[in-house]
Amino acid sequence: MNLAKIAIEKKAVSYFITFLLVAGGLASFFSLGQLEDPDFSVKTAVIVTQYPGASAAEVELEVTDRIEIALQQLKTIDYLKSFSAPGYSQIWVNIKTQYWSDQLPQIWDDMRRKVREVEGSLPPGCSRPIVNDDFGDVYGLLMAITGDGYSYAEMEDAAKGLKKELSLVEGVARVELWGVQPKVIYLEASETQLSQLGISDKSIIATMQQQNMVVDAGSVDVQQKRVRISPTGEFRSPEDIADLAIHPSLLDGLQGLEKGQPVQGDDELIRIRDIGTVKRGYQDPPPTMMRLDGKPALAISITNVAGANIVDVGRNVDARMAELEDDLPVGLDIHHVHWMSDVVSDSVNGFFINLAQAVAIVLVVLALSMGWRMGSLIGIDLVLTILGTLIVMAIMGIDLQRMSLGALIIALGMMVDNSIVVAEGFVVRREQGMDKIKAAIEAAGSPSMPLLGATVIAVMAFYPIGGSKESTGEYCLSLFIVVGISLMVSWVVSMTLTPIKCLDMLPDPKPQEAGHDPYGSKFYKIFRGLLEKAIRMRVLFIAAMVGLLVASFMGFGFVEQLFFPSSSMSKFMIDYYAPQGTRIEVVANDLKTLEEKLLADERVDNVAAFIGSGPPRFYLPVEPESSNPAYGQLIVNLHDFKEIDDLIQELTPWAAETFPDAMVPMRKFDVGPGQTWQFQYRISGPAIADTELLRDLSEKVLDILR
């Protein structure tokens, strides 16, 4: 009687806990952030320094070396990589892998201090080093604006308007433009004419600098008000510059006075339009260029605030863009290059499809072997375990992303083990004639500690993934945590809720089966016979098992060893590396040939070309290429990701034949941290080493590899 009363009370508590799990799990699901990849720190910073007019050797000795020597004092540095070109220095600072995101801000501050300390020793004419350590920002929403017949300036004006409006969308952290052509004013004059008039370049530059300055001209008191004096003369158009008067004798005389020469008096005034032409234009050569499907374009890249649901952010941006597109000039079009919200939405939907399939498989298998009631009971436990896992994930701030969803899918098969043991134990005890309530108590209580130990062992099997101090460990940390959460929740559910559901959902054994041997069926008899034979011939059996173990090790060598597989996104990258020093216009022209080849293929949806630099980081594992006029990258979107391998296989020999002087690697997007070059070999020597010797050695290595 006491047991029955306790059972009734337990049922009420069980139903209440079940309700809390369902309500809390659903609420947690809708509150969790949804991302493509888990947050992990990009342990690389880039330091860029301009040194106009200097040769590559001068940049290396006077700028790059000095900054590197200062940075090498930091104990957190793993290694430095630098690139010195005429007038340009770039240093990649790589931090040791054991430092994760919570420690990086202090490391970047220490690095900046070292860079600022060395600024005073840099040569005159060298710009202040620019430190960029925000490589971890992912612009998961990347679109392009194109317009037939529109200039870059007109497209830029439209893009700036979109940027201002999209920055106000809920969940958007930052909006940036890529491919904007810097606007400049060109003053073209004849050197011969300037020489005849006695005007130097310095005279014109000095005159323009003094004319267009913003200065405080003071103010005047008028009765009770103070009026600011605003002098005129600012340059508002190229015509204002053309009307600027030059007093050559005064300017050149002042320059001569500095050298101890007498000043020549002359009242002649010459305007700039008299000696040359002034016109608007774009920087030549352009620093970067972008095309979409062969048309000039500008990229608009959007990143979300931390912890935001990228699916909701994508929908918000799409909704706002639908309103803004009506106000765009006719002929300006917006295209998606990469839309992370769609990728994440597909991943989440794929998870629920897998979940539904797993539950269905459990129901079918258990229904066939143990009855539909048992299958339904285990299926309910599986759903409750997942809902409980979502609650703990919400408490710990773990988003729904590639690793956490993968962990839930991996753990699906193990989540039901504990509940199956408890439910099966209940059925066996009932068939042996045990009281229902006592059978439920013993079915959960008797194997509780062994099941807990087995669950902990299963969790710790994933510890090497989460315990790694490398970037891979940081990236996969949530996989280990979520597997651990889900399996421990499954144990708790099996120990508390499963016995109660057994009382309600599993039928009483038939009278004729009461007290019979549950292990007397034909299946168990066959199994018992095989087990007895294995024990009698144990030497032969153990030898066979050892042989299978050796065969498995040998067969493992034929299995492809890859920690992270390729992504299933329907896009891939084509990098184009022309010989160093190639003009950006040549690279753009070569890529146009490649674009036309791709666009003629019916498998291709669209092609985005980024020339002079890599695109904004729209996919976390891929590090964008730094500024380089001899570089370009194509992002090729296909209708079906299954066509990528065939297309790459067809294009690779064609590209090698069409562009014999360039390197054109083609690669799919990786899941997890990846490298542009899968195989890298470095040849280095002391500072006094002969550069030509290093080059000769590198050629020998290439010959061996070939």
Side-chain angles (χ1 to χ4, degrees):
M1 185 69 181
N2 291 334
L3 288 177
K5 183 178 180 180
I6 293 174
I8 294 174
E9 294 175 352
K10 294 290 185 181
K11 284 184 180 181
V13 175
S14 172
Y15 295 146
F16 180 68
I17 293 175
T18 301
F19 171 77
L20 291 180
L21 282 176
V22 173
L26 293 175
S28 298
F29 170 75
F30 289 109
S31 67
L32 288 173
Q34 297 183 19
L35 301 173
E36 186 171 13
D37 289 284
D39 290 331
F40 80 97
S41 55
V42 178
K43 303 175 181 64
T44 302
V46 175
I47 302 172
V48 175
T49 311
Q50 302 284 348
Y51 189 12
S55 65
E58 290 172 333
V59 171
E60 172 73 19
L61 294 174
E62 300 179 23
V63 178
T64 305
D65 275 356
R66 295 180 183 181
I67 297 177
E68 286 183 325
I69 291 173
L71 292 174
Q72 286 170 354
Q73 300 174 17
L74 297 173
K75 297 180 179 179
T76 54
I77 298 293
D78 185 11
Y79 67 94
L80 302 173
K81 184 176 70 173
S82 63
F83 173 77
S84 299
Y88 181 83
S89 168
Q90 182 163 320
I91 302 173
W92 289 266
V93 183
N94 295 277
I95 305 301
K96 292 179 180 178
T97 55
Q98 63 260 36
Y99 298 102
W100 286 10
S101 56
D102 58 334
Q103 300 168 293
L104 283 182
Q106 182 60 48
I107 293 175
W108 297 143
D109 287 343
D110 295 340
M111 181 190 67
R112 280 191 170 86
R113 279 197 295 270
K114 290 296 182 182
V115 174
R116 298 307 171 221
E117 289 174 2
V118 80
E119 281 182 12
S121 63
L122 297 180
C126 181
S127 67
R128 187 178 189 185
I130 299 174
V131 180
N132 181 12
D133 59 14
D134 61 351
F135 276 7
D137 289 344
V138 179
Y139 295 88
L141 305 177
L142 181 64
M143 48 188 176
I145 180 170
T146 61
D148 288 331
Y150 285 88
S151 65
Y152 273 111
E154 292 169 328
M155 287 194 295
E156 182 184 350
D157 290 340
K160 285 182 176 178
L162 293 175
K163 175 182 178 180
K164 183 180 298 184
E165 294 295 333
L166 294 177
S167 299
L168 304 177
V169 173
E170 182 180 0
V172 171
R174 188 164 59 175
V175 182
E176 298 291 347
L177 304 182
W178 195 99
V180 173
Q181 302 298 304
K183 294 184 285 291
V184 297
I185 301 294
Y186 285 104
L187 196 163
E188 298 177 350
S190 170
E191 288 286 347
T192 304
Q193 188 177 8
L194 292 179
S195 178
Q196 291 175 352
L197 294 173
I199 301 175
S200 66
D201 297 341
K202 294 182 179 179
S203 301
I204 300 176
I205 295 173
T207 302
M208 296 176 64
Q209 288 177 340
Q210 293 178 6
Q211 181 68 23
N212 203 40
M213 295 178 63
V214 177
V215 296
D216 182 10
S219 59
V220 59
D221 293 338
V222 180
Q223 295 181 355
Q224 297 180 352
K225 295 184 178 180
R226 176 164 293 178
V227 181
R228 184 179 68 88
I229 298 175
S230 178
T232 59
E234 301 96 340
F235 295 150
R236 300 183 182 275
S237 68
E239 290 74 20
D240 293 340
I241 299 176
D243 289 336
L244 182 62
I246 302 177
H247 199 173
S249 59
L250 176 59
L251 288 171
D252 292 336
L254 289 175
Q255 294 170 5
L257 184 61
E258 294 176 356
K259 301 177 182 179
Q261 300 174 359
V263 178
Q264 302 291 330
D266 192 342
D267 294 332
E268 180 183 2
L269 289 177
I270 300 175
R271 300 190 182 277
I272 288 181
R273 65 169 177 264
D274 298 328
I275 60 174
T277 58
V278 181
K279 61 181 181 181
R280 297 179 186 270
Y282 299 105
Q283 180 178 321
D284 187 20
T288 57
M289 301 169 63
M290 181 185 176
R291 289 195 298 259
L292 183 71
D293 293 342
K295 302 175 183 177
L298 296 179
I300 303 175
S301 52
I302 304 171
T303 184
N304 57 282
V305 298
N309 186 327
I310 189 61
V311 176
D312 292 339
V313 175
R315 290 171 182 164
N316 295 338
V317 172
D318 279 333
R320 184 60 180 142
M321 281 301 304
E323 300 171 354
L324 297 174
E325 285 181 352
D326 295 336
D327 298 329
L328 288 177
V330 177
L332 283 179
D333 299 313
I334 304 296
H335 311 268
H336 287 180
V337 177
H338 178 75
W339 215 245
M340 186 192 293
S341 61
D342 292 342
V343 177
V344 174
S345 179
D346 291 342
S347 298
V348 175
N349 292 337
F351 163 73
F352 283 105
I353 291 174
N354 289 332
L355 174 62
Q357 292 174 342
V359 174
I361 291 172
V362 169
L363 289 173
V364 170
V365 172
L366 293 179
L368 292 176
S369 61
M370 305 178 69
W372 69 269
R373 291 177 181 270
M374 178 70 79
S376 300
L377 187 152
I378 302 303
I380 292 173
D381 280 356
L382 178 60
V383 174
L384 292 178
T385 299
I386 293 175
L387 293 174
T389 302
L390 294 176
I391 294 174
V392 181
M393 288 173 61
I395 295 173
M396 298 182 64
I398 301 175
D399 299 321
L400 292 175
Q401 28 79 3
R402 194 188 306 277
M403 287 295 111
S404 60
L405 289 175
L408 288 173
I409 294 173
I410 290 172
L412 280 178
M414 296 182 284
M415 289 180 192
V416 298
D417 291 346
N418 293 327
S419 295
I420 289 176
V421 171
V422 173
E424 173 67 12
F426 175 82
V427 172
V428 170
R429 286 171 173 79
R430 288 290 290 143
E431 290 179 349
Q432 291 175 340
M434 187 178 292
D435 178 72
K436 178 185 290 188
I437 298 176
K438 187 176 181 182
I441 294 174
E442 285 195 11
S446 178
S448 60
M449 297 312 295
L451 287 178
L452 177 61
T455 302
V456 172
I457 291 174
V459 172
M460 295 310 295
F462 292 87
Y463 175 75
I465 296 177
S468 172
K469 293 298 182 182
E470 301 294 325
S471 297
T472 300
E474 185 179 8
Y475 184 85
C476 298
L477 179 61
S478 58
L479 186 147
F480 165 66
I481 294 176
V482 174
V483 167
I485 293 171
S486 62
L487 294 185
M488 294 308 299
V489 170
S490 74
W491 180 81
V492 174
V493 169
S494 67
M495 293 297 108
T496 56
L497 302 182
T498 303
I500 303 298
K501 291 200 293 293
C502 288
L503 295 175
D504 291 336
M505 298 183 64
L506 299 183
D508 294 332
K510 296 178 181 180
Q512 64 270 23
E513 294 179 353
H516 86 292
D517 183 7
Y519 302 109
S521 64
K522 185 176 181 181
F523 171 79
Y524 287 111
K525 290 180 179 178
I526 294 174
F527 178 75
R528 183 181 296 111
L530 293 175
L531 184 60
E532 289 175 352
K533 290 181 180 179
I535 294 174
R536 292 193 188 100
M537 298 182 290
R538 51 186 173 273
V539 176
L540 180 61
F541 179 78
I542 293 176
M545 292 298 102
V546 172
L548 288 176
L549 179 63
V550 173
S552 67
F553 279 114
M554 295 176 62
F556 189 73
F558 297 97
V559 177
E560 183 180 2
Q561 298 183 26
L562 187 67
F563 194 88
F564 290 111
S566 297
S567 172
S568 60
M569 291 192 300
S570 57
K571 56 169 58 70
F572 70 99
M573 298 171 284
I574 301 179
D575 295 301
Y576 184 91
Y577 295 91
Q580 194 63 36
T582 303
R583 294 188 299 117
I584 190 173
E585 294 88 351
V586 176
V587 175
N589 188 60
D590 289 347
L591 286 181
K592 197 170 189 65
T593 303
L594 188 51
E595 291 173 73
E596 293 172 353
K597 173 76 172 177
L598 289 165
L599 292 173
D601 195 310
E602 61 182 9
R603 294 169 291 185
V604 175
D605 183 15
N606 62 59
V607 180
F610 300 86
I611 307 162
S613 175
R617 185 191 286 266
F618 62 84
Y619 185 62
L620 182 59
V622 177
E623 180 178 341
E625 193 77 15
S626 302
S627 298
N628 182 2
Y631 171 80
Q633 185 180 85
L634 300 182
I635 304 298
V636 185
N637 283 284
L638 276 67
H639 298 290
D640 188 350
F641 80 95
K642 297 178 182 178
E643 303 286 351
I644 293 178
D645 290 330
D646 292 338
L647 185 56
I648 291 178
Q649 188 174 3
E650 296 171 13
L651 283 175
T652 300
W654 176 87
E657 181 180 353
T658 308
F659 310 108
D661 296 331
M663 293 186 297
V664 192
M666 305 179 191
R667 54 196 171 110
K668 295 192 289 186
F669 289 89
D670 292 328
V671 173
Q675 293 285 341
T676 303
W677 305 101
Q678 299 300 319
F679 176 80
Q680 301 182 48
Y681 193 88
R682 179 175 61 187
I683 301 176
S684 61
I688 59 174
D690 184 3
T691 307
E692 292 301 324
L693 174 60
L694 295 178
R695 293 184 186 277
D696 291 340
L697 291 174
S698 65
E699 289 297 331
K700 292 180 180 179
V701 172
L702 289 177
D703 291 338
I704 295 172
L705 291 174
R706 293 190 186 102

